[in-house]
Amino acid sequence: MKNRMEKRINVGITIGDANGIGPEIIIKALSDKRIIELCNPIVYGNRSVLNQSIKDLQLGEFKLQQIDHPTKANGKSAALISLDSELKNAEYGMATKSSALCAYDALERALQDLLAKDIDCLVTGPINKDNIQHTAFDFAGHTEYLENKDGKTESLMLMINEHCRIGLVTNHISVNEVSNLVKTDLILKKLSLLNKTLRNDFNIRKPKIAVLGLNPHSGDNGLIGREDEKEILPAIQQSKTIGIMAFGPYPADGFFGSGSYKEFDGILAMYHDQGLIPAKMLSSGVGINYTAGLSFVRTSPDHGTAMDIAGKGIANESSIRSAIYKAIEISRTRLRNEELIKNKLETSKNRA
């Protein structure tokens, strides 16, 4: 039987909204033969739309092997699981019900294969969060959908680039709701998730985590809000009692402006833009969104559908390429850690 560490990783890649840049960046990324050498990339989407992208990008030599199940990927080329869809051609830049259904169907089928362990990890192409609501998709975004499918009460949106890893306490919610949700218990849960994923998925033995404040200047001792001292500081103090090396709260502007982010293995931001603005500025176009805390591995590019440039052939595929590489890396890390645990248990059993 082939050693689990020697197996090729099956990477599921969903098309996202077919009228956005998803098909283009996927085809461009998979045109890089180095990816085929590392994994079996399996695209879930619409065959005619992907062929349209290949034609529009003038990639006549590029072919997708059509299969009906992930186990049939041959390892010689990228594969496609084509789904029945009323969408025949992409309408670049248009938010249509047919493109929403295509994105949803691809996501549902990929999740089915992921939960059945027929693929090892998932890379999701960007969806139009408003347009996909025309389907049975009833979530603010991929993160909430995947969390629900995995049966988890909490996951962690983690933005990754070569400079830092930034997790979020709150995800896709309006700004006027943030202060009502930034509570000690939730912050402590997110800190625990961040610490666990840094240890288990990134092999950092003793992660050092910075926690950002909510208010300007972290509240200035209560002058500009009390959440920092009443909710965030107690969470940091409690986290230390369970072995988490957390520090803060730090004012976000000074923290990033001074370069202090370089001194930490992970950063916990309180809300979406507080974390994503510096993450994207530091990513140089190759940032990744990783959903930590799930039983499976999921990554995505750190950008949206970019409808304004869809079909123009100018979309940058660097982020989704990085997302594919990171999904492979984390999958292998998890496999390696599982093998280590298994070997330790067997050694302990033999000694007994």
Side-chain angles (χ1 to χ4, degrees):
M1 184 176 178
K2 183 179 262 192
N3 187 296
R4 291 177 73 206
M5 289 306 299
E6 295 175 1
K7 73 184 285 288
R8 286 175 66 85
I9 299 292
N10 282 348
V11 182
I13 306 169
T14 57
I15 192 173
D17 194 300
N19 291 340
I21 63 170
E24 178 184 336
I25 58 174
I26 290 169
I27 295 302
K28 283 181 174 178
L30 297 184
S31 298
D32 185 340
K33 294 181 180 179
R34 291 173 296 180
I35 289 179
I36 310 297
E37 293 170 1
L38 285 174
C39 70
N40 293 327
I42 302 164
V43 182
Y44 292 79
N46 179 289
R47 179 176 58 181
S48 62
V49 167
L50 287 159
N51 283 338
Q52 179 183 347
S53 290
I54 293 169
K55 181 180 178 181
D56 290 347
L57 293 169
Q58 298 181 345
L59 296 172
E61 297 295 319
F62 183 82
K63 303 292 182 185
L64 284 166
Q65 172 206 5
Q66 188 161 340
I67 58 176
D68 58 12
H69 193 271
T71 55
K72 295 184 179 178
N74 63 17
K76 298 177 182 178
S77 64
L80 167 67
I81 292 180
S82 186
L83 307 167
D84 292 334
S85 173
E86 62 184 60
L87 186 66
K88 302 305 177 187
N89 295 288
E91 298 178 71
Y92 297 126
M94 303 294 291
T96 64
K97 185 175 181 180
S98 58
S99 69
L101 284 168
C102 179
Y104 178 69
D105 289 345
L107 193 55
E108 284 281 289
R109 172 60 196 274
L111 249 294
Q112 175 187 321
D113 289 345
L114 184 64
L115 293 174
K117 301 189 184 302
D118 291 322
I119 57 176
D120 300 292
C121 52
L122 178 65
V123 178
T124 55
I127 57 173
N128 183 316
K129 293 182 178 65
D130 176 55
N131 191 38
I132 202 169
Q133 302 298 324
H134 292 112
T135 70
F137 189 96
D138 189 26
F139 302 92
H142 274 121
T143 303
E144 294 79 8
Y145 166 86
L146 294 164
E147 186 179 277
N148 177 270
K149 291 290 185 179
D150 199 34
K152 301 291 184 183
T153 54
E154 297 292 344
S155 65
L156 178 76
M157 185 186 292
L158 185 63
M159 308 305 294
I160 305 168
N161 58 58
E162 63 179 6
H163 302 288
C164 59
R165 305 173 189 90
I166 305 177
L168 304 181
V169 171
T170 61
N171 299 334
H172 299 113
I173 63 170
S174 62
V175 174
N176 67 355
E177 295 179 62
V178 171
S179 62
N180 293 327
L181 293 176
V182 173
K183 301 297 182 184
T184 300
D185 287 350
L186 180 59
I187 298 165
L188 190 57
K189 284 179 183 177
K190 299 292 186 175
L191 262 174
S192 297
L193 281 172
L194 180 54
N195 186 68
K196 184 178 179 181
T197 200
L198 290 172
R199 286 171 58 89
N200 295 346
D201 293 337
F202 295 88
N203 279 339
I204 301 170
R205 189 177 176 188
K206 292 182 179 179
K208 185 180 176 184
I209 300 172
V211 181
L212 302 182
L214 173 66
N215 298 297
H217 312 300
S218 292
D220 252 350
N221 295 318
L223 182 65
I224 319 175
R226 306 298 297 275
E227 292 88 352
D228 298 271
E229 61 180 285
K230 284 194 167 185
E231 306 294 345
I232 301 175
L233 187 57
I236 295 169
Q237 292 168 338
Q238 288 180 41
S239 74
K240 291 180 179 178
T241 68
I242 56 174
I244 298 173
M245 294 175 59
F247 304 88
Y250 296 103
D253 58 346
F255 181 82
F256 288 106
S258 66
S260 297
Y261 62 88
K262 299 173 185 176
E263 301 170 13
F264 294 89
D265 301 300
I267 300 158
L268 189 65
M270 294 299 114
Y271 58 94
H272 187 278
D273 284 13
Q274 186 186 55
L276 266 70
I277 289 173
K280 291 187 177 185
M281 288 186 69
L282 291 167
S283 74
S284 301
V286 294
I288 303 160
N289 179 1
Y290 172 51
T291 309
L294 300 178
S295 65
F296 48 78
V297 175
R298 176 262 176 166
T299 64
S300 75
D302 71 350
H303 57 72
T305 54
M307 293 290 197
D308 57 322
I309 62 168
K312 297 180 180 179
I314 59 173
N316 189 331
E317 74 278 13
S318 299
S319 184
I320 198 164
R321 183 189 293 116
S322 295
I324 294 169
Y325 284 142
K326 185 58 69 175
I328 296 167
E329 181 184 326
I330 295 174
S331 295
R332 290 211 175 279
T333 297
R334 287 193 178 189
L335 283 173
R336 192 177 300 112
N337 289 339
E338 286 172 13
E339 287 295 316
L340 287 171
I341 292 170
K342 181 182 175 182
N343 291 338
K344 283 182 180 179
L345 288 173
E346 288 179 354
T347 301
S348 178
K349 184 179 177 180
N350 291 335
R351 284 177 178 172

